[in-house]
Amino acid sequence: MEIYKKRLGLLRKNMRENHLDVCVILNSDPHLNEYLPEHYQAIKWLCGFDGSAGTLVVTHDYAGLWTDGRYFEQALRQLPSDVVLEKQSATQNYKRQLANFSGKIGIDFAILPFAAYKELCALLNPASLVDCDCVGNIWKERPRRVANAIYAHNLDISRAQKLRDVRAKMRQMGAEWHFVSSLDDIAWITNLRGSDILYNPVFSAFLLISANKAQLFLHRHSLSESLQKELRNDGFSLFPYKNAQKELAKLKKRRVLVDRITTRTARILQQNGNKLREELAPSTLQKACKSEAVVARIQDAMIRDGIALCRFFAWLEGALLGEILDECDIDTHLTAFRAEMEHYVGNSFATIAGFGANGALPHYQAKRGACAKLLGDNLLLLDSGAQYLDGTTDITRVVPVGNPSEAQKRDYTLVLQAHIAIAQARFPDKIAMPLLDSIARAPLWQHGLDYAHGTGHGVGYFLNVHEGPQSLSLNAPISPRTRVHAGMVTSIEPGIYREGQWGVRLENLVVAKASAHAGFLEFVPLTLCPFEPRLIVRTMLTEAQKEWLDSYHARVWELLAPHLSGDVREWLERKTCPQ
């Protein structure tokens, strides 16, 4: 921990030299990615915290990390003693804390979301905010930005057609230009994929679209000559990545459509008299609503993922009888089983394998040399996913190690009831998805239980495992942009977390489809993997819940059994047969 004390000391020295009273370090980058390139992991470098959500506020005699309930336990384990854990809530956050400070506040506008900047301006004197990369001057061995190879990912909709669709929407919205900085949107529009961001098959780029131009800013050495020619033939002009802001500065008094941009980008546009139209990017909704052909390909990926999972869980059940495994072994073996599958590219996020008390940390990540051994009677929570060329997966299951207790079985069954409640729900087409969250929580609320994270998130098609605009979370805004549409792929993942004891979370991916009732939608499961019968108290389930469970297991058997044999097929039969 001494290294973090030294680095905070260097930061404070730099603050004095630049006459700053407060420095705000963001968990962000110029594209507002969830998973950050190492170049932008300044919080981890300064204080050791590596969660995906956090903001570090530093003064000359104080340092505090703001994060939400998913990361409280993790932050307490990782932060040095001189950095305070500040627990973020709906009413308290770093922006409100800054209102209590005086003087100059340094914050990097190149990675500050414009929405956050506007909130800060409403709370503070805007003149107190100084555009400053507080870490850049002291991080001498900062990792370089990456620019890996880019490759084509052809779909049933051509990139030329996607450009036409985006432009048609721009005309409807009265926008002359559209600036796109979100990498999954750019990858989707261009039918390209890359590996610049860990777990997300995207590449670093910006895209500026008008009625007759599509300017793509990227590292051209990452593209083959043939792919560059394809892009030009489809109407894209290629520019160096670093030139994006220079081109934006040429726009004057134009109507520019933007969504999820940084403060520096917004200020460049505003300084030249451009009128910003801040609305949902057309491509965001277009890529969220998967076609039937895309859903069919995703289901194919789910079958292969299900095969890998069955082989893994059948192996694990036998291995636990004679081997001493740890949490890191679980990640290694599961990844190996998936890597055998056709079209496998990599994991879709860092595997969460939490045994016992570690399972009560929703975003726990085991580290080699400091992970728990699977010994004694407790639960293993396993949240994992993969990227295949034809789909992105995300699944959570819980495995009993040894003999589960009655309390553990009860928790598992309650979470299963919560999962089934939303999985079998029907709801009006285009209802705001956050309104559906309480359907999942209701079975737990009846017992005075709840969980600190959302119930679900959108999932991309060989893209980001966390995708908007939909969000199955009571903390998400109820607005037109969070409406549920047919073709959206979403996770369902309620949980119960017993601090210091165990955790239970059960997650499937589902797709929204038209129901038998006109004007209503329902969720159809995509994930194919049985729930654990040893942990289900059937007497707690209603007849409707039993029917849903048996029907789901019948579907899992029908789609996976033909691809399995021997002990693995026998394992699946035991797990899916009606109890």
Side-chain angles (χ1 to χ4, degrees), residues 57 63 202 245 282 287 289 301 308 323 350 372 456 472 474 483 513:
V57 177
V202 297
Q245 291 187 354
K287 71 179 167 58
C289 299
E323 298 182 43
L472 186 54
L474 50 77
R483 288 173 179 164
K513 289 192 172 183

Side-chain angles (χ1 to χ4, degrees), residues 362-437:
H363 284 248
Y364 171 77
Q365 188 174 348
K367 291 181 172 33
R368 184 64 70 181
C371 53
K373 288 183 168 56
L374 277 57
L375 294 172
D377 300 325
N378 219 317
L379 303 179
L380 170 68
L381 185 151
L382 182 54
D383 188 348
S384 68
Q387 293 284 7
Y388 300 94
L389 291 174
D390 52 353
T392 301
T393 73
D394 183 1
I395 175 175
T396 309
R397 290 295 186 265
V398 173
V399 178
V401 178
N403 298 310
S405 68
E406 294 305 312
Q408 290 169 340
K409 293 178 184 178
R410 179 177 178 273
D411 279 357
Y412 186 98
T413 307
L414 285 172
V415 174
L416 179 60
Q417 288 179 307
H419 183 102
I420 294 173
I422 182 65
Q424 66 180 2
R426 286 197 177 107
F427 41 89
D429 187 10
K430 298 181 180 59
I431 189 174
M433 189 176 276
L435 294 173
L436 304 179
D437 188 305

